[in-house]
């Protein structure tokens, strides 16, 4: 018969082995997100994760996040519907697994322009005048981000060709939009929250339009992964989607943590953060029909080179959302 000391030692050893085994079995997912008002809440997902360990990292833009995903530096990425379509056009392996938060786009004009908010007639007249004088309006965005496509689609619908009628200025980091507009280096910018609210509240620029009158509407954020991650780390991916769904429910009920995380990660004050959230809506659904319309619009804008409709549908996996919400895909945007 084993002595009491030996039995106790054996019990402790078994407990430690069990703990180590459980830790080894907990999936670890590297998650990337962009630094914008509707993206920053993704930094809170590690605290809501169940059955998965999430390592969340912020990037300057959605373009940077997508690059990290396709290069396999990340397992899951918060990007946009526009990045999803662009990636499919380039033949990248991306799978849409959840929505996140929509909105966040605003076009703001320089104070030097005598342009009232939502006055498309005056804007089109100004575009025609400056183009005829050989000094087309300088309009900025972060190329390839949702705000860039929202702006281009809205302009095109109004008869303004963003490739011919204006001078586009690419400012990759949205945090730099404020300074460019303040210094009057540009005439207008389509920026992302909370930087859009920072511009407006500081008086560096003024509201022109929320550019949602186009095929994308206000659809912005999408959670994507790769097919190899789905195959090899399904429980981990499920844990991430579950955390996103839980997070969205919490943010819908209480915007306090949302305001706090914007303040913490951008350094902008809470008044700016509060204003930014007027232009953001939690939404975990994956909107299939609108994504197809986005793909068609992006082809019209010559942002993509071919019809990717089949790939758009094929690469949407609703199974994670179905499990996380208890709903069927027809109630989740399909």
């Amino acid at each position: 018969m084993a002595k009491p000391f030996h039995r106790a030692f054996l019990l402790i050893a078994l407990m430690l082995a069990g703990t180590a085994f459980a830790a080894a079995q907990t999936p670890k997912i590297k998650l990337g997100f962009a630094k914008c008002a509707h993206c920053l809440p993704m930094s809170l997902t590690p605290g809501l994760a169940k059955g998965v360990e999430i390592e969340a990292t912020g990037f300057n833009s959605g373009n940077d996040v997508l690059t990290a995903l396709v290069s396999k530096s990340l397992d899951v990425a918060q990007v946009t519907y526009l990045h999803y379509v662009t990636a499919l056009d380039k033949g990248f392996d991306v799978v849409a697994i959840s929505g996140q938060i929509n909105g966040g786009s605003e076009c703001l004009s320089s104070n030097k322009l005598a342009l009232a908010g939502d006055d498309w007639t005056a804007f089109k007249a100004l575009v025609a005048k400056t183009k005829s004088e050989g000094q087309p309006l300088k309009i900025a965005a972060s190329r390839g981000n949702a705000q860039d496509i929202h702006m281009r689609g809205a302009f095109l619908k109004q008869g303004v060709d963003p490739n011919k009628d204006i001078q586009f200025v690419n400012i990759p980091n949205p945090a730099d939009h404020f300074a460019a507009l303040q210094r009057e280096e540009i005439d207008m910018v389509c920026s992302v929250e909370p930087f859009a609210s920072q511009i407006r509240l500081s008086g560096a620029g003024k509201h022109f339009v929320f550019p949602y009158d186009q095929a994308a509407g206000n659809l912005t954020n999408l959670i994507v992964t790769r097919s190899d991650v789905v195959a090899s780390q399904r429980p981990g991916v499920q844990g991430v989607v579950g955390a996103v769904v839980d997070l969205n429910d919490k943010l819908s009920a209480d915007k306090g943590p949302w305001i706090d995380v914007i303040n913490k990660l951008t350094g902008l004050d809470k008044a700016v953060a509060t204003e930014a959230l007027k232009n953001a809506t939690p939404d975990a659904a994956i909107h299939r029909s609108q994504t197809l319309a986005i793909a068609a619009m992006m082809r019209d804008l010559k942002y993509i080179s071919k019809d990717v409709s089949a790939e758009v549908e094929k690469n949407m996996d609703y199974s994670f959302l179905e499990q996380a919400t208890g709903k069927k895909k027809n109630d989740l945007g399909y």
Side-chain angles (χ1 to χ4, degrees):
M1 183 178 290
K3 294 181 180 179
F5 175 79
H6 291 155
R7 285 200 300 269
F9 181 81
L10 180 62
L11 180 60
I12 292 170
L14 288 171
M15 289 174 64
L16 290 174
T19 301
F21 178 78
Q25 295 304 302
T26 302
K28 294 183 179 181
I29 295 290
K30 292 184 177 180
L31 168 71
F33 61 92
K35 293 178 180 177
C36 59
H38 44 303
C39 314
L40 291 172
M42 292 297 292
S43 66
L44 302 175
T45 54
L48 296 170
K50 297 173 184 175
V52 63
E53 181 181 326
I54 300 175
E55 179 186 324
T57 303
F59 291 76
N60 282 335
S61 71
N63 291 329
D64 295 338
V65 183
L66 180 62
T67 298
L69 178 72
V70 298
S71 66
K72 300 190 177 182
S73 297
L74 295 173
D75 304 308
V76 176
Q78 169 271 309
V79 290
T80 70
Y81 282 84
L82 306 309
H83 289 111
Y84 174 63
V85 173
T86 301
L88 293 174
D89 177 60
K90 293 179 178 178
F92 293 148
D93 174 17
V94 291
V95 180
I97 54 175
S98 174
Q100 192 239 343
I101 293 173
N102 294 323
S105 301
E106 183 178 7
C107 293
L108 303 112
S109 64
S110 167
N111 291 314
K112 66 183 178 182
L113 297 185
L115 187 62
D118 300 296
D119 191 344
W120 282 110
T121 301
F123 175 71
K124 289 188 284 186
L126 192 57
V127 167
K129 178 177 182 293
T130 53
K131 181 183 178 183
S132 69
E133 294 171 346
Q135 297 290 330
L137 290 179
K138 294 179 179 178
I139 301 183
S142 299
R143 187 185 297 279
N145 277 6
Q147 294 68 44
D148 181 22
I149 308 295
H150 285 168
M151 175 193 76
R152 290 172 184 269
F155 282 7
L156 198 62
K157 190 166 183 180
Q158 292 292 330
V160 174
D161 188 331
N163 294 317
K164 297 178 180 178
D165 297 335
I166 64 167
Q167 180 182 337
F168 178 77
V169 179
N170 180 34
I171 303 177
N173 189 344
D176 296 331
H177 292 173
F178 173 88
L181 196 61
Q182 186 179 49
R183 293 194 296 259
E184 297 188 347
E185 297 169 354
I186 53 176
D187 299 300
M188 181 178 288
V189 65
C190 193
S191 196
V192 64
E193 296 290 1
F195 306 109
S197 288
Q198 177 197 23
I199 289 168
R200 188 166 15 83
L201 293 179
S202 70
K206 52 191 179 180
H207 169 78
F208 173 56
V209 72
F210 295 113
Y212 300 140
D213 186 20
Q214 34 70 31
N218 76 333
L219 291 190
T220 309
N221 285 2
L222 194 64
I223 308 301
V224 299
T225 184
R226 300 185 310 274
S227 61
D228 64 292
V229 179
V230 171
S232 65
Q233 301 193 63
R234 189 171 189 90
V237 174
Q238 185 63 61
V240 171
V241 174
V244 170
V245 170
D246 287 349
L247 177 62
N248 275 13
D249 289 344
K250 290 181 183 299
L251 296 180
S252 295
D254 179 12
K255 289 186 168 57
W258 197 348
I259 292 169
D260 290 342
V261 77
I262 293 171
N263 171 247
K264 177 182 177 182
L265 297 183
T266 68
L268 297 176
D269 65 39
K270 292 187 178 182
V272 171
T274 301
E275 184 71 13
L277 298 193
K278 295 177 182 178
N279 185 16
T281 306
D283 182 7
I286 304 172
H287 296 277
R288 180 180 60 89
S289 61
Q290 282 178 274
T291 311
L292 292 170
I294 291 169
M297 177 183 74
M298 291 176 69
R299 193 178 182 193
D300 290 341
L301 288 166
K302 295 180 172 50
Y303 237 88
I304 58 175
S305 60
K306 59 180 182 290
D307 181 3
V308 294
S309 301
E311 291 88 343
V312 162
E313 294 202 66
K314 178 184 175 184
N315 288 46
M316 287 182 171
D317 187 340
Y318 284 84
S319 64
F320 299 101
L321 266 183
E322 288 181 318
Q323 184 172 330
T325 62
K327 299 178 181 179
K328 297 297 183 184
K329 65 180 182 180
N330 287 337
D331 298 317
L332 294 167
Y334 181 76

